[in-house]
Amino acid sequence: GNAIYSKGLVKTLKSKVGVKIIEIKNPSSRNPLDFWRLAKSANSGCDVIHVQHAYGLFGKLVFSGIYIPLFYTLLDKNKKIITTLHDVGDYSTSGLSGFVRKYYRKMIDRFIFKNSDLLHVHTQEAANWLVRQNVERQKIRVNPLAIFEKPIFLDKNLCKKELELKGFVALLLGFVHKNKGHDIALEGIPFLDN
């Protein structure tokens, strides 16, 4: 997921500018000093701060509501802050806990949107969703995730035999989530050539 994307981004950036990588060593930390140190380190010796945001990098959702605002508040506002959003999409959930989660996450997202100079997403659908959340379109950039230049192709019949699969098999890469658009890919299957 994010690690492969980040590795490619760093490689490309290093060929053009100086890059300082600051890892979240312990995303499950409940110590606010860890996030204070992270922001302090991000502020030193750079002109642009690029945050890779995915829920879970700042702890469980309940802690994200504390640590994300703390982190963004401590960032130097004289620097450009770019946030790549890996978790973008619908807040629809069910039940009382889903209702609370929806508004809690909406609050956190709005804080990120407000405190970022630029929001980077991977799909046009994500950009459109941000616009529906009242983010100005000029603040949004869309860059699709990269495709490997030299993919490894395996014989599909051999793979199906080894995995004991029969008939038509669709392979969808990545995490399965309603925001990923897998439904669109599945709807297109009847239009594929044999």
Side-chain angles (χ1 to χ4, degrees), residues 113 116-120 124 127 130-131 134-142:
F113 303 161
S116 298
D117 295 297
L118 188 128
L119 297 167
H120 174 244
Q124 188 58 53
L130 288 172
V131 170
N134 298 315
V135 175
E136 306 97 31
R137 193 168 287 280
Q138 66 270 18
K139 193 175 188 175
I140 304 166
R141 297 293 181 278
V142 178

Side-chain angles (χ1 to χ4, degrees), residues 12-116:
T12 301
L13 286 174
K14 279 185 174 179
S15 71
K16 300 181 185 315
V17 296
V19 175
K20 175 181 172 184
I21 300 168
I22 303 161
E23 293 181 49
I24 297 177
K25 303 263 187 230
N26 185 6
S28 61
S29 173
R30 294 183 182 167
N31 183 350
L33 289 177
D34 288 343
F35 294 93
W36 174 80
R37 287 183 199 105
L38 189 65
K40 184 179 175 187
S41 183
N43 287 331
S44 67
C46 67
D47 300 310
V48 176
I49 298 170
H50 185 180
V51 180
Q52 297 288 322
H53 175 266
Y55 283 97
L57 293 179
F58 288 87
K60 294 187 185 282
L61 184 60
V62 69
F63 297 108
S64 291
I66 299 165
Y67 298 138
I68 289 174
L70 171 68
F71 176 74
Y72 276 88
T73 300
L74 292 170
L75 292 178
D76 184 345
K77 300 303 181 250
N78 294 316
K79 299 178 186 295
K80 293 293 181 191
I81 299 171
I82 300 170
T83 302
T84 294
L85 299 166
H86 294 281
D87 294 328
V88 180
D90 191 10
Y91 293 126
S92 63
T93 52
S94 59
L96 179 60
S97 66
F99 177 80
V100 171
R101 184 178 298 117
K102 171 184 174 178
Y103 284 97
Y104 192 62
R105 183 172 160 198
K106 203 175 225 184
M107 174 194 71
I108 296 166
D109 281 351
R110 285 191 175 152
F111 195 88
I112 294 168
F113 303 161
K114 181 180 178 213
N115 288 280
S116 298

